Amino acid sequence: MSAPRPLTITGGQLVLPGKSPVPGSLRCEGGLIRAVGGAIAGPDDLVIDAKGALVVPGLVDLGVFAIDKPAFQFGGITRAALMPDQGVVLDKPSSVRFAAQSGKPDLWVHPLAAATRDLAGSEIAELALMRDAGAKAVATGRRWIGDSGTMHRLLSYAAMLGLVVITHAEDAGLTGGAVATAGEMATRLGLPSAPAEAEALAIARDLALAELTGARIHFRQVTTAKGLALVRAAKARGIKVTAGVTPAHFMLSDTAIGDFRTFTRLSPPLRSEADRQAVLAALSDGTIDVISSGHDPRGPEDKRLPFADAEPGMAGAETLLPLTLGLVRDGVIDLPRAFELLAANPAALLGVKAGRIEEGLEADMALIDPAKPWVVDSDMMAATAGNTPFDKQGVEGRVLALFKGGVLIAD
Amino acid sequence: MTSPNLDAAGRYPAGSAAFPHRSLTGLAGLAPWEILFLLDEAEQWVELNRQPHKRNDRLAGLTIINAFFENSTRTLLSFEIAGKRLGADVVNMHAAQSSVKKGETLIDTAMTLNAMHADAIVIRHQSSGAVQLIADKVDCPVLNAGDGQHEHPTQGLLDALTIRHAKGAEFAGMRVTICGDILHSRVARSNIHCLTTLGAEVRVCAPPALMPADIEALKVHPFHDFDAALVGSDVVMMLRLQQERMSGQFIPSPREYRHLYGLTLDRLAKAKGDALVMHPGPMNRGVEIDSNVADLAGRSAITTQVEMGVAIRMACLDVLTRRTRGLEGWA
């Protein structure tokens, strides 16, 4: 394969780490960003005029359940960390190696190694072999590891291997078969529910074990005030902890489940309005490090069912960027922080040289119009299924062009 | 709360405005006059059902499908009798005998029933919200005969009718205590919505593990102490322990449950002297209710509830099919 032509983007507003957007150009060669700011195009360069669009890092989506290229390209996602909960569980080097190759060249898939065999929560999987086969981190999957002894051994082993452990924070003993958060809405609807404290319980234990072992731990979704308070305090104590969330938990509270709409059946379930406000505060004060899509497209066979019988999950790749830009518009975060949450922090967590517009990093970039309005429509999505809880909602922000490794892949 | 266009008697609006809903999926959100309208409509059927010739053919030619995805004896029988007394062709579909067991989805089953041109579908299902899901997909009225732990609206209505027959039409100032497994009970939820809408004071009593979170939001007063809850009660409604719905242990043992929450004669004495005893059935005699209470002449309304059930279901089937039948003011 011949090397791609060098690329120069001119006339853009560059979104650089920690700064307000600056007008400028950038040049990429050999798949990397070579010059940022006043870059001069070479004679053979493909030159693209951004026409004032924002030039932002390609999104690094930490924790998707499906590889869904059309949805990712629509959403400006150039790298996706794939959850191990696949048809063939990512608990062996062979399945990890296969997954790592599955999106190239225009999408990089970073497999997350299953923490335990078959994600059953009991026997630790071959983490070192999977790391060397391309796994960028370890994940417990959709579930929490209930056995504290197993979690202790897992964290100490992952710490030795230098792998972050990404965990699901819900105490399964408390949640049982719950599909909603205990409260007025679940009571009215007669849905099996569990107290929101299930999250804080899980986080408290895992933080204690992370502190004990020195492991790096990432809570994929922290959605309650009490859970976030624990993370905030642990960070202050110097524990190596990070936290993520998806737009559902900063956009919606459990009133959204009122019509038994299964597109709002999520895991963890939607929380109270007070918890939603706590998530916004945690995005604002830096307690939350990552916003991811949780992309989990589900067809009618999984969703056209009674609420409690439906599978959890939402198709989130296409709405990740505009809903995060909504936080910027609302003054919760500023623009550079949005791309820390969407790209720089998840890239750092995975240990990949991407996620920022910076010389020497992978030339994964998007041109975006942050103000372009559009309406989310579950019947018109690029994703393999349209199970979005934001159906018919107006949003702003659209990807105009997407580059992976300095090559234009979508516009 | 009153309607702007009440009928001549001043009770509810004329024609279909008295009950403007296509289906009856729950009692939450219904206006007081909508509930009263259904209760009043049921009175004629209470009368008819007490006659030797129990037949009115106003639903002749209509097909009613009772689709029961969850086992039921009494409710199914009650709906079947109600439909037949109104002259409808009633067919029963038991999930155990249907293609549901072969993996057909609920919606596919619903679409199949719809294609058979049912004029009303009565549904019982083990999952909350299942009836609403079907109601949104089919072209005919849907009657909820119980969905999971959500609602059982005809039970709420028949209980209100039973209370009205025993205690008179004024629900304001009446104190009703509902005791038992509130958490898993769709009967409790429908009764709470119905009775609070009609103006009664509702107390709910259960051990903490069987009490839903934030139940106060439904405008009821929660109690854990049954003896305290009974004080001043006009009506005592007992619920069955729904052991089939419980995952995990909610109570240490049935006899311990009886010790704290069983309705005995001694306990009943703490309520008002003429307090009405109710139970939606089937009863676990000797657990939540003692036999000598369940059978207490003049006080137990348990068999009256069954009687009112048929009348209420006749009223619901009649009212919900009026649009189909082109009744004046309803077309």
Side-chain angles (χ1 to χ4, degrees):
Chain A
M1 198 169 77
S2 60
R5 277 172 75 186
L7 169 74
T8 296
I9 297 174
T10 60
Q13 296 280 330
L14 307 182
V15 176
L16 307 176
K19 292 185 206 159
S20 297
V22 289
S25 56
L26 62 79
R27 183 164 189 272
C28 315
E29 192 176 1
L32 304 180
I33 299 171
R34 298 295 189 184
V36 175
I40 311 281
D44 297 329
D45 285 14
L46 172 65
V47 180
I48 291 180
D49 181 359
K51 295 177 182 152
L54 290 181
V55 182
V56 303
L59 272 49
V60 181
D61 195 355
L62 186 65
V64 300
F65 290 90
I67 298 301
D68 193 349
K69 265 192 200 179
F72 293 161
Q73 290 183 351
F74 185 103
I77 295 162
T78 46
R79 292 167 185 258
L82 181 65
M83 290 295 282
D85 317 62
Q86 303 297 312
V88 175
V89 174
L90 305 185
D91 64 354
K92 289 184 188 66
S94 54
S95 51
V96 165
R97 197 172 290 114
F98 181 79
Q101 297 301 322
S102 61
K104 286 182 179 176
D106 46 355
L107 169 75
W108 279 23
V109 175
H110 299 303
L112 301 175
T116 57
R117 283 179 210 273
D118 209 29
L119 289 169
S122 47
E123 295 170 66
I124 293 170
E126 297 166 328
L127 303 185
L129 288 172
M130 287 194 279
R131 177 192 64 181
D132 297 344
K136 295 295 183 193
V138 175
T140 65
R142 293 181 189 274
R143 287 182 295 172
W144 189 58
I145 290 179
D147 185 88
S148 301
T150 303
M151 191 63 177
H152 180 204
R153 289 190 294 278
L154 168 68
L155 286 170
S156 57
Y157 192 55
M160 177 190 80
L161 298 174
L163 291 168
V164 180
V165 174
I166 301 173
T167 181
H168 179 87
E170 277 189 295
D171 183 310
L174 198 53
T175 55
V179 300
T181 305
E184 179 184 345
M185 195 49 69
T187 291
R188 283 187 183 278
L189 298 178
L191 291 173
S193 65
E197 281 72 7
E199 179 177 284
L201 266 181
I203 289 176
R205 186 204 68 175
D206 288 350
L207 283 174
L209 293 174
E211 187 168 24
L212 176 67
T213 57
R216 285 192 295 154
I217 192 162
H218 175 71
F219 297 102
R220 193 165 59 87
Q221 300 181 78
V222 185
T223 61
T224 64
K226 285 176 181 165
L228 289 162
L230 288 171
V231 171
R232 193 176 284 120
K235 284 186 167 186
R237 276 212 315 284
I239 299 175
K240 289 176 261 181
V241 56
T242 49
V245 77
T246 76
H249 285 97
F250 63 71
M251 294 294 293
L252 304 171
S253 70
D254 65 354
T255 53
I257 70 175
D259 293 333
F260 293 107
R261 285 270 299 166
T262 58
F263 287 1
T264 62
R265 161 112 164 80
L266 304 172
S267 172
L270 290 173
R271 306 298 193 184
S272 68
E273 176 61 17
D275 282 331
R276 187 183 80 89
Q277 294 296 336
V279 170
L280 289 172
L283 283 161
S284 180
D285 74 10
T287 303
I288 290 177
D289 307 275
V290 174
I291 302 177
S292 61
S293 74
H295 191 65
D296 196 1
R298 298 271 193 180
E301 67 283 3
D302 289 334
K303 284 293 190 184
R304 271 176 61 173
L305 295 168
F307 193 88
D309 304 337
E311 295 291 337
M314 63 169 180
E318 288 150 89
T319 48
L320 175 61
L321 176 68
L323 295 174
T324 304
L325 290 173
L327 295 174
V328 177
R329 232 177 358 262
D330 294 346
V332 177
I333 54 174
D334 62 20
L335 194 64
R337 165 100 172 120
F339 289 93
E340 283 174 25
L341 290 157
L342 292 170
N345 290 347
L349 211 140
L350 295 166
V352 295
K353 297 186 80 176
R356 298 190 301 279
I357 302 293
E358 191 176 298
E359 285 170 27
L361 264 58
E362 281 268 337
D364 302 347
M365 302 159 306
L367 302 186
I368 66 170
D369 176 351
K372 183 171 179 167
W374 57 287
V375 176
V376 181
D377 185 338
S378 67
D379 295 327
M380 308 271 289
M381 309 241 317
T384 53
N387 52 310
T388 171
F390 305 106
D391 193 25
K392 305 296 182 282
Q393 190 162 320
V395 294
E396 289 179 25
R398 194 76 175 247
V399 173
L400 306 173
L402 191 62
F403 305 86
K404 176 78 195 76
V407 176
L408 179 67
I409 55 169
D411 65 352
Chain B
M1 215 187 310
T2 52
S3 157
N5 301 308
L6 299 185
D7 75 342
R11 294 179 63 83
Y12 20 74
S16 62
F19 195 81
H21 312 282
R22 193 183 71 155
S23 293
L24 180 64
T25 54
L27 300 181
L30 291 190
W33 68 82
E34 293 171 353
I35 292 172
L36 288 174
F37 173 68
L38 293 175
L39 298 185
D40 287 355
E41 283 290 325
E43 295 292 0
Q44 59 187 309
W45 308 123
V46 175
E47 275 309 305
L48 180 81
N49 290 337
R50 288 174 179 172
Q51 307 304 317
H53 183 81
K54 307 170 189 54
R55 187 70 183 238
N56 178 304
D57 275 338
R58 67 176 59 181
L59 300 194
L62 266 54
T63 303
I64 296 170
I65 300 179
N66 293 325
F68 277 55
F69 296 88
E70 186 184 70
N71 283 333
S72 160
T73 309
R74 18 175 87 225
T75 305
L76 177 59
L77 200 56
S78 184
F79 268 107
E80 184 173 359
I81 291 172
K84 285 181 170 165
R85 287 200 179 149
L86 291 174
D89 298 314
V90 180
V91 282
N92 296 332
M93 190 203 81
H94 303 275
Q97 302 161 6
S98 78
S99 41
V100 173
K101 292 273 176 193
K102 301 171 199 156
E104 185 176 76
T105 69
L106 180 60
I107 299 247
D108 287 338
T109 309
M111 296 318 291
T112 303
L113 301 182
N114 194 50
M116 292 173 181
H117 296 294
D119 297 294
I121 304 178
V122 179
I123 299 164
R124 167 167 289 195
H125 196 280
Q126 60 278 5
S127 296
S128 303
V131 176
Q132 183 67 54
L133 185 69
I134 295 175
D136 291 342
K137 302 285 175 196
V138 300
D139 302 319
C140 68
V142 168
L143 253 147
N144 183 359
D147 63 326
Q149 304 165 17
H150 177 224
E151 284 231 43
H152 190 355
T154 56
Q155 181 74 43
L157 293 168
L158 75 88
D159 286 338
L161 189 61
T162 305
I163 293 171
R164 195 165 84 167
H165 272 240
K167 296 279 171 191
E170 192 52 70
F171 283 88
M174 191 182 293
R175 178 176 291 171
V176 181
T177 295
I178 307 174
C179 178
D181 183 358
I182 310 289
L183 178 67
H184 296 100
S185 178
R186 55 197 176 209
V187 173
R189 284 173 179 77
S190 285
N191 264 300
I192 287 168
H193 295 312
C194 187
L195 294 168
T196 56
T197 301
L198 294 175
E201 177 199 337
V202 177
R203 295 177 163 187
V204 292
C205 180
L210 296 176
M211 186 74 89
D214 294 348
I215 189 76
E216 301 89 339
L218 273 56
K219 302 189 182 71
V220 299
H221 307 283
F223 284 77
H224 299 311
D225 179 346
F226 192 23
D227 295 309
L230 283 168
V231 173
S233 292
D234 298 285
V235 177
V236 184
M237 198 179 284
M238 301 304 296
L239 299 174
R240 186 170 61 91
L241 266 189
Q242 310 221 42
Q243 269 150 335
E244 74 279 9
R245 291 186 199 284
M246 295 184 188
S247 50
Q249 191 198 26
F250 285 77
I251 53 157
S253 72
R255 74 171 185 176
E256 176 138 321
Y257 182 81
R258 177 182 181 274
H259 179 62
L260 294 176
Y261 298 102
L263 187 61
T264 60
L265 277 178
D266 285 348
R267 277 226 172 82
L268 182 59
K270 297 179 195 300
K272 281 194 182 166
D274 59 350
L276 196 67
V277 175
M278 300 174 70
H279 192 301
M283 289 181 278
N284 299 308
R285 287 173 182 262
V287 184
E288 72 265 5
I289 188 164
D290 277 10
S291 274
N292 55 9
V293 177
D295 303 332
L296 196 59
R299 301 285 297 281
S300 169
I302 294 169
T303 52
T304 311
Q305 289 174 270
V306 179
E307 182 192 3
M308 297 298 151
V310 177
I312 280 290
R313 285 159 188 141
M314 290 170 80
C316 291
L317 289 172
D318 171 24
V319 168
L320 290 178
T321 56
R322 285 182 184 180
R323 198 160 293 138
T324 313
R325 291 183 285 130
L327 241 71
E328 201 186 331
W330 290 79

